[in-house]
Amino acid sequence: SSANAVDLAEATAWRQGRYVFTNIRLADVLERIGRYRGGRIVVTSGELGERRVSGNIALRDGNAALAAVQSSVSFQVVTLGRLTFVSP
């Protein structure tokens, strides 16, 4: 089935250090990216965090992963120490 094909593609991507996501809340994507960066990512807008996004990003560099999502979704990023704030 197509669901199994998607699961297999996502599992394969994960083993290659990539994160494939389809129609996922931005807040959830940023939480996953945050596991690969030092510190914590905080979404300052509930509406922004609820936005549905799709993509395929490399996770080996958390900052590059955040920048890749930022380029497709368009949000502001401010980092203060170990906290990174994402806002509209």
Side-chain angles (χ1 to χ4, degrees):
S1 76
S2 64
N4 288 340
V6 169
D7 293 344
L8 180 60
E10 289 179 4
T12 301
W14 181 80
R15 283 195 300 273
Q16 295 171 349
R18 300 193 71 79
Y19 176 32
V20 176
F21 49 97
T22 305
N23 198 30
I24 302 294
R25 292 172 55 244
L26 177 62
D28 294 335
V29 171
L30 294 175
E31 190 273 329
R32 173 76 61 95
I33 291 170
R35 296 178 197 168
Y36 294 85
R37 300 177 74 243
R40 184 168 159 234
I41 299 174
V42 178
V43 181
T44 64
S45 160
E47 185 177 327
L48 179 63
E50 291 298 320
R51 261 182 85 181
R52 295 288 177 159
V53 296
S54 299
N56 178 343
I57 56 174
L59 288 172
R60 68 184 157 274
D61 179 340
N63 291 325
L66 180 60
V69 174
Q70 181 185 20
S71 71
S72 67
V73 179
S74 186
F75 50 76
Q76 302 297 313
V77 175
V78 175
T79 300
L80 300 169
R82 292 180 52 81
L83 284 178
T84 298
F85 295 95
V86 170
S87 57

